[in-house]
Amino acid sequence: MKLQAMATSWRFLTCLGLLSAASVHAHGGLMETDSYTSRRGHPEDRLMGFTRGTLISRDDGASWRWVCAEAMGYGSWPPERYVWLSSGDILTATGKALLRSRDGGCTWVASTAFQDLWVSSLAEHPTDGSLLYVATGRPAMTNLLYRSRDGGETWTPTSLSREAVFSAVRVAPFDPKRLYLSGWKGYAMYLFRSGDEGETWEDLPQTFPAGLEGAYDLKLLAVSPANPDVLWARVSSRTPAGGILYTVLRSDDGGRTLTSVLAQEDPLVNMDVSADGRTTWVATYNHLFRGREGESMLPLSLPTGNACVKREGGTLFACGSTWVHEWALARSTDEGTSWEPLFSLRNFQGVHQCPAGTPVKELCTPLWPQLAQQLGAPVYPVPTDAGTPDGEVPPKPDGCGATAGSAGMAPLLLSILLRRRERRAR
């Protein structure tokens, strides 16, 4: 028994080291999903951002396969947002480059259109898949907003350029000619608005609510699908105790004034809005908040770790934590009150199926056994009709995800890594 306990402890410590080393970009340090995207016009094709690359499903979410970060080539700049065009091309902005895959995720190439500028944000027209926008955000340089009318094949700068970091561009779904762009330079916050697809721009000087005079890092989150004058952004600020406060702000007058709707110390991930604009969801590293018109924003019972949110029609998709409540993706048809689990990191089906000679095939395949061991996933997929003898219980995977006590330790690890992250930020 003593030897067994020592082996279990050693395996847990080994897994902890692997998770810490391999999961720099996860929500709080653990390997997790961090975004959800479906292909325009082909909802059976789905994609999730992942700590170590990307996960892709081509069968309506029945199975998910891995595209490793090494094959994508983004280094220490993990993608924040993806666009999957109806043509099949996938684009993502990493904060440094605009990556594009023309073969469904098997090969990724960085765009050469932006030279030394860093691509900080990517947005698409709600109905015209050929119309895209890209913002750049390299400090101490003049940054621009670019527009493409051919699905990202070519890019033309709009008239907006500033020596400021452009943090996010958003298109108003109700009036796609309306664009918003956020940015900052030091403690100077910028918000710009265009009513003609970026031909002309209006500066919107910002006066923040009381207590946020020293706020920094302004970033647009969303624009209401029902009203182009309603938008949400977030800022960061210091608490009296020296921590970081993340505040969600709302504007009902096209960005001229902002009021606080949610303030807490859990880092923000993203947000989404119902089709009628009356319900909002805000995802943080550990919770998903819901706010209905006329009510305060309150945390939902799930997910309780590693949240992200995406609305598609009347369905809500959310990231979650395999290590805390067993699923990494779930959907809800009642605005987040209840969830149907769709995917756990332990249910990986291996490496994305790509032809020989492609980066995914050559680079990801040899890395898969180690990742499977860390996640507690089978190294080789079990046939769907395979079973076990009557009465026999299949053994649990002997990986990091299956290490005794790993689920209970996840919140502790999460809090430790978050504190380390905040200390590094300070």
Side-chain angles (χ1 to χ4, degrees):
M1 290 294 291
K2 185 176 293 185
L3 289 175
Q4 182 179 2
M6 289 175 63
T8 299
S9 299
W10 176 252
R11 184 168 68 249
F12 176 76
L13 290 172
T14 302
C15 292
L16 175 58
L18 288 169
L19 288 171
S20 298
S23 309
V24 177
H25 308 298
H27 292 179
L30 300 174
M31 282 189 287
E32 304 280 16
T33 53
D34 54 35
S35 66
Y36 173 86
T37 304
S38 63
R39 180 180 171 189
R40 183 189 288 263
H42 298 267
E44 70 278 5
D45 291 342
R46 307 179 184 186
L47 179 152
M48 283 190 288
F50 176 57
T51 306
R52 295 185 59 185
T54 297
L55 311 180
I56 292 179
S57 173
R58 305 303 298 265
D59 54 11
D60 204 27
S63 63
W64 292 86
R65 293 180 175 271
W66 181 44
V67 174
C68 61
E70 290 80 358
M72 297 180 70
Y74 59 71
S76 59
W77 300 79
E80 182 181 38
R81 197 175 197 187
Y82 292 83
V83 169
W84 198 340
L85 303 177
S86 59
S87 65
D89 287 12
I90 308 172
L91 293 90
T92 183
T94 71
K96 185 175 183 180
L98 178 69
L99 301 180
R100 185 186 196 112
S101 174
R102 299 181 183 276
D103 57 4
C106 295
T107 306
W108 297 80
V109 178
S111 172
T112 59
F114 307 102
Q115 300 180 358
D116 294 329
L117 296 174
W118 294 351
V119 179
S120 57
S121 184
L122 170 67
E124 60 180 328
H125 190 282
T127 57
D128 183 357
S130 63
L131 184 52
L132 303 170
Y133 298 91
V134 151
T136 66
R138 185 164 186 172
M141 292 188 68
T142 298
N143 288 290
L144 302 95
L145 180 74
Y146 291 81
R147 178 177 57 224
S148 174
R149 297 189 182 277
D150 55 12
E153 298 291 343
T154 59
W155 297 91
T156 303
T158 68
S159 59
L160 183 61
S161 65
R162 291 288 191 282
E163 190 177 324
V165 174
F166 288 162
S167 56
V169 57
R170 296 288 184 265
V171 183
F174 189 82
D175 177 11
K177 291 183 179 295
R178 177 79 66 87
L179 306 179
Y180 291 97
L181 185 132
S182 59
W184 51 268
K185 183 180 180 182
Y187 286 96
M189 303 291 108
Y190 297 89
L191 193 59
F192 307 97
R193 181 177 69 195
S194 173
D196 52 15
E197 295 184 341
E199 294 297 325
T200 60
W201 292 89
E202 178 183 2
D203 287 35
L204 304 171
Q206 295 303 308
T207 302
F208 291 115
L212 293 177
E213 292 83 358
Y216 58 95
D217 193 23
L218 175 67
K219 183 175 182 179
L220 277 165
L221 295 175
V223 182
S224 170
N227 186 340
D229 287 332
V230 177
L231 61 94
W232 292 263
R234 68 108 165 98
V235 291
S236 304
S237 60
R238 293 292 180 183
T239 67
I244 301 177
L245 185 70
Y246 303 90
T247 302
V248 178
L249 305 165
R250 171 175 171 143
S251 175
D252 292 294
D253 55 9
R256 296 189 182 280
T257 59
L258 297 167
T259 58
S260 175
V261 295
L262 176 67
Q264 40 76 58
E265 296 187 45
D266 198 11
L268 297 176
V269 177
N270 73 328
M271 74 168 291
D272 214 332
V273 188
S274 63
D276 61 7
R278 302 181 66 179
T279 304
T280 57
W281 298 270
V282 174
T284 73
Y285 275 5
N286 295 296
H287 298 287
L288 180 61
F289 293 82
R290 180 177 64 197
R292 292 189 169 119
E293 191 171 289
E295 300 177 1
S296 300
M297 300 202 72
L298 298 173
L300 298 172
S301 59
L302 286 171
T304 52
N306 188 60
C308 78
V309 62
K310 179 67 180 294
R311 179 188 64 82
E312 291 189 346
T315 301
L316 203 64
F317 293 89
C319 301
S321 176
T322 297
W323 322 114
V324 178
H325 48 250
E326 290 296 332
W327 50 263
L329 178 69
R331 66 183 167 204
S332 172
T333 56
D334 55 10
E335 298 188 334
T337 300
S338 61
W339 295 94
E340 175 192 359
L342 299 176
F343 173 69
S344 165
L345 292 180
R346 297 189 180 100
N347 300 138
F348 260 126
Q349 296 296 307
V351 175
H352 187 39
Q353 296 173 315
C354 295
T358 59
V360 167
K361 183 69 173 180
E362 303 304 322
L363 297 177
C364 304
T365 301
L367 299 175
W368 167 246
Q370 182 187 32
L371 180 67
Q373 172 68 15
Q374 293 174 20
L375 297 175
V379 177
Y380 300 103
V382 178
T384 55
D385 59 348
T388 57
D390 292 341
E392 182 179 337
V393 179
K396 278 190 172 184
D398 192 29
C400 293
T403 301
S406 62
M409 287 296 292
L412 174 60
L413 296 177
L414 203 60
S415 64
I416 292 171
L417 290 162
L418 278 174
R419 285 198 295 270
R420 289 178 179 173
R421 179 190 181 112
E422 290 181 359
R423 283 199 296 270
R424 287 196 297 268
R426 290 197 292 268

